[in-house]
C-alpha cells in the first residue's frame, strides 16, 4: 500500500440530511442559530475549518446523536 491509499477528506452530509427531511438550509439556519452563509459554505464543501460548535448545533437542530450522519471520511 502506498501513502495515497490513506489520504482522506471529511465529507459534510448536510445537503443529504436536508433533502431527507424536506428542510431548507434557511430553516436549519433558523433552528441552529448559524448564519445561512456559513451553513451554505459548510454544506457545499467551501470551508477549510469546521467548528465543533456548529456540528453540535446542527445535530441538536436535527435531533441527531450519531455524528456519522453529519460527517464522514472518504478517500481523496
Amino acid at each position: 500500500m502506498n501513502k495515497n491509499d490513506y489520504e482522506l477528506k471529511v465529507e459534510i452530509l448536510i445537503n443529504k440530511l436536508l433533502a431527507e427531511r424536506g428542510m431548507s438550509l434557511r430553516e436549519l439556519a433558523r433552528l441552529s442559530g448559524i448564519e445561512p452563509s456559513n451553513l451554505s459554505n459548510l454544506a457545499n464543501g467551501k470551508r477549510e475549518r469546521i467548528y465543533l460548535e456548529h456540528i453540535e448545533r446542527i445535530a441538536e437542530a436535527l435531533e441527531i446523536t450519531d455524528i456519522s450522519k453529519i460527517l464522514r471520511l472518504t478517500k481523496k
Side-chain angles (χ1 to χ4, degrees), residues 3-16:
K3 182 182 173 191
N4 291 339
D5 291 337
Y6 296 102
E7 289 188 23
L8 302 172
K9 68 177 184 171
V10 174
E11 185 179 357
I12 308 296
L13 305 172
I14 293 172
N15 287 330
K16 179 179 182 263

Side-chain angles (χ1 to χ4, degrees), residues 18 23-32 34 36-37 39:
L18 294 177
M23 183 184 287
S24 70
L25 201 62
R26 195 162 289 289
E27 177 69 6
L28 178 57
R30 186 185 68 74
L31 292 171
S32 66
I34 301 170
S37 61
L39 272 178

Side-chain angles (χ1 to χ4, degrees), residues 48-60:
E48 289 294 318
R49 294 185 179 184
I50 301 170
Y51 296 103
L52 293 178
E53 180 185 354
H54 285 178
I55 299 303
E56 291 168 350
R57 288 162 66 180
I58 291 165
E60 288 172 4

Side-chain angles (χ1 to χ4, degrees), residues 24 38 67:
S24 70
N38 287 337
I67 196 168

